[in-house]
């Protein structure tokens, strides 16, 4: 069995939020953080609408592509 996963060039959201040297507040603006939050809420809403429950929602489980 093979597992294929797309490369997330920025890593996880947890990695980004912990790395304040590489991503200071000037890069992670409030608008960007709110956009991420809205995207995550939409994604969770979508999987819940399909009767899929994710039992480990945390920043480390959200991959950042852009």
């Amino acid at each position: 069995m093979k597992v294929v996963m797309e490369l997330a060039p920025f890593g996880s959201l947890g990695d980004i939020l912990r790395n304040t040297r590489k991503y200071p507040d000037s890069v992670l603006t409030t608008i960007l953080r709110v956009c991420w939050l809205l995207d995550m809420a939409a994604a969770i809403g979508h999987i819940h609408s399909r009767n899929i429950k994710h039992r480990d929602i945390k920043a480390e489980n959200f991959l950042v592509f852009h």
Side-chain angles (χ1 to χ4, degrees), residues 19-55:
N19 194 347
T20 57
R21 187 174 300 164
K22 186 173 181 182
Y23 301 103
D25 286 339
S26 60
V27 174
L28 298 179
T29 63
T30 301
I31 293 172
L32 178 61
R33 293 172 194 228
V34 169
C35 288
W36 284 345
L37 179 63
L38 293 173
D39 285 346
M40 289 184 284
I44 293 167
H46 176 74
I47 65 169
H48 283 187
S49 74
R50 307 273 186 204
N51 284 331
I52 300 169
K53 306 298 182 213
H54 193 294
R55 298 178 64 156

Side-chain angles (χ1 to χ4, degrees), residues 11-15 18 56-63:
S12 74
L13 181 57
D15 295 337
R18 275 192 303 277
D56 194 22
I57 296 173
K58 58 185 175 185
E60 288 77 13
N61 290 337
F62 285 95
L63 301 178

